[in-house]
């Protein structure tokens, strides 16, 4: 599955390069910044942080409190046992795919507010996402959130205190 995903990523990347050209693009939405003492925080990053925190809370509540969320967790842990308990496996997988796709759409949209992008920038983010999932624990949404924070801090500290050139290697 991982190799198929990377192969599709390369194919999509080349299609996007042919359709949209390799130009770097940016979304200018929230200009300005907020000064808190010695820290200056861009407004776009604060908006993205707020939306990510809200989405994380909603996703956690969905997975922990609703029947569908519990069914998703049951199928994730043991598909055969979930089917034996009467859970519609295809329906649950469909809902999980829709939720995951929606979250990926919102994440990509928020990322476009924070940094410039081009078709060739997708692969490094795919690798970083994979590392985040491994660090946080596969199949653990809260672990993925913590893994993302850990990887983000490591990237920023490496870029700030060592060199931006070593950031991909540390990930």
């Amino acid at each position: 599955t991982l190799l198929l995903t990377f192969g599709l990523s390369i194919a999509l990347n080349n299609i996007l390069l042919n359709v949209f050209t390799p130009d770097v693009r940016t979304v200018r939405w929230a200009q300005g910044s907020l000064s808190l003492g010695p820290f200056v925080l861009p407004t776009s990053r604060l908006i993205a942080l707020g939306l990510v925190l809200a989405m994380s809370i909603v996703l956690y509540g969905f997975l922990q409190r609703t029947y569908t969320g519990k069914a998703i967790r049951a199928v994730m842990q043991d598909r055969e046992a979930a089917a034996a308990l009467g859970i519609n496996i295809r329906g649950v997988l469909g809902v999980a795919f829709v939720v995951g796709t929606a979250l990926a759409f919102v994440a990509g949209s928020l990322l476009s507010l924070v940094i410039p992008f081009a078709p060739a920038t997708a692969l490094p983010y795919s690798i970083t996402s994979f590392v985040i999932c491994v660090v946080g624990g596969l199949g653990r949404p809260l672990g993925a959130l913590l893994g993302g924070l850990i990887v983000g801090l490591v990237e920023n500290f490496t870029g700030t205190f060592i060199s931006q050139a070593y950031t991909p290697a540390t990930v």
Side-chain angles (χ1 to χ4, degrees), residues 6-139:
F6 280 127
L8 285 173
S9 173
I10 291 169
L12 270 169
N13 193 3
N14 286 317
I15 291 169
L16 290 174
L17 281 171
N18 286 323
V19 172
F20 294 109
T21 70
D23 297 336
V24 175
R25 300 171 195 273
T26 186
V27 176
R28 301 257 182 219
W29 185 62
Q31 298 294 323
S33 57
L34 178 67
S35 296
L36 296 171
F39 302 106
V40 178
L41 305 169
T43 307
S44 60
R45 288 182 185 254
L46 289 174
I47 291 170
L49 175 66
L51 287 172
V52 165
L53 289 175
M55 286 177 23
S56 298
I57 291 168
V58 168
L59 178 65
Y60 182 78
F62 170 73
L63 290 174
Q64 296 295 325
R65 305 274 185 217
T66 65
Y67 174 79
T68 307
K70 291 176 183 178
I72 289 172
R73 290 184 11 235
V75 170
M76 182 179 63
Q77 289 179 4
D78 191 349
R79 186 178 292 198
E80 289 81 18
L85 292 172
I87 295 174
N88 179 3
I89 303 296
R90 285 183 160 231
V92 167
L93 291 176
V95 169
F97 178 78
V98 168
V99 169
T101 302
L103 290 173
F105 173 77
V106 173
S109 299
L110 291 175
L111 191 62
S112 72
L113 293 177
V114 175
I115 61 167
F117 59 94
T121 59
L123 187 61
Y125 288 116
S126 300
I127 294 169
T128 303
S129 299
F130 178 71
V131 170
I132 288 170
C133 289
V134 170
V135 168
L138 295 172

